[in-house]
Amino acid sequence: MRVFIVGTGNMAGGIATRALAGGHTVRLVGTDPAKAATLADALARRTPGADVAPAVPDAVGSADVVVLAVPFDAAREVVTEYGDRLSGKTVVDISNPVDFSTFDSLTVPADSSGAQQLAEAAAPGTHLVKAFNTTFAGALVAGEVGGLPLDVFIAGDNAAARDQVAELVSSGGLNPVVVGGLRHARELEGMQLLHMALQTRPGGHGWMSAIKIVAP
């Protein structure tokens, strides 16, 4: 797949690492082209032979999957700015609309989610999928926590788009967990709100823990 990642921070690097491990092509775009180039160079050194490079927004037209590896407010700006260029594409929202000053609440109404709001703001035909919002960047780079592959929870209304993201996840050595329609993004965001809060208290996990479903 041709994976287009909007963002140049730690999560962009973590998701790109998994995509490259799966043999996919990665293109990076950010507000600072120099940061995109620096991240691309670092990823190429980490994964010899990887097809990774910085890009410009117009290159999104060649993407199979677009990952919004930016905070919620920035993701809303991106889907508005990109507009019709996202129509027909699988767009992955990794954000969590969290009150970062307290880590005690989401910033969206109780009957909605950040992902649903992005879907409403996106151009018609955009296939919005929630994924990677419950994973931390360091664990993504490692691909596992405690010897177990990361679970990546996936929610979306378009089955083909969900399957595409599941393939991206599994090819990178992670475990896809498809939870159903986009309405379940609210639960995923709430789950990660609690997960984040646990990192910051005394004895926390240092942003290297993971949420995993364990069954016999």
Side-chain angles (χ1 to χ4, degrees):
M1 283 183 272
R2 296 179 296 273
V3 182
F4 187 91
I5 300 179
V6 181
T8 56
N10 292 335
M11 283 297 292
I15 293 168
T17 298
R18 291 297 105 212
L20 294 170
H24 306 291
T25 295
V26 172
R27 294 294 178 263
L28 303 162
V29 63
T31 54
D32 184 346
K35 287 185 178 180
T38 298
L39 179 57
D41 288 344
L43 290 164
R45 291 194 300 271
R46 185 183 298 165
T47 310
D51 186 349
V52 54
V56 295
D58 285 345
V60 72
S62 64
D64 296 308
V65 176
V66 180
V67 180
L68 306 179
V70 293
F72 172 60
D73 289 339
R76 188 156 42 191
E77 293 176 4
V78 170
V79 296
T80 300
E81 176 188 343
Y82 280 42
D84 290 340
R85 288 178 288 182
L86 299 179
S87 184
K89 296 191 179 298
T90 297
V91 177
V92 180
D93 165 38
I94 77 163
S95 70
N96 290 290
V98 169
D99 181 345
F100 290 102
S101 66
T102 62
F103 287 101
D104 67 358
S105 64
L106 297 175
T107 60
V108 293
D111 61 350
S112 184
S113 67
Q116 288 168 298
Q117 291 195 3
L118 293 181
E120 291 169 2
T126 302
H127 305 309
L128 206 293
V129 176
K130 191 80 179 184
F132 294 105
N133 77 296
T134 61
T135 56
F136 294 134
L140 278 169
V141 172
E144 53 88 22
V145 170
L148 298 174
L150 298 185
D151 281 356
V152 177
F153 298 91
I154 301 168
D157 291 336
N158 183 279
R162 290 196 310 257
D163 290 345
Q164 196 171 31
V165 175
E167 169 59 24
L168 175 63
V169 168
S170 61
S171 65
L174 310 181
N175 182 45
V177 181
V178 178
V179 301
L182 198 62
R183 67 186 182 279
H184 291 301
R186 174 76 188 190
E187 288 79 27
L188 296 182
E189 292 168 2
M191 187 162 64
Q192 184 65 356
L193 168 64
L194 176 60
H195 192 202
M196 287 178 168
L198 293 175
Q199 310 304 310
T200 60
R201 69 182 189 178
H205 306 299
W207 305 97
M208 281 299 295
S209 60
I211 300 171
K212 188 164 188 66
I213 301 295
V214 179

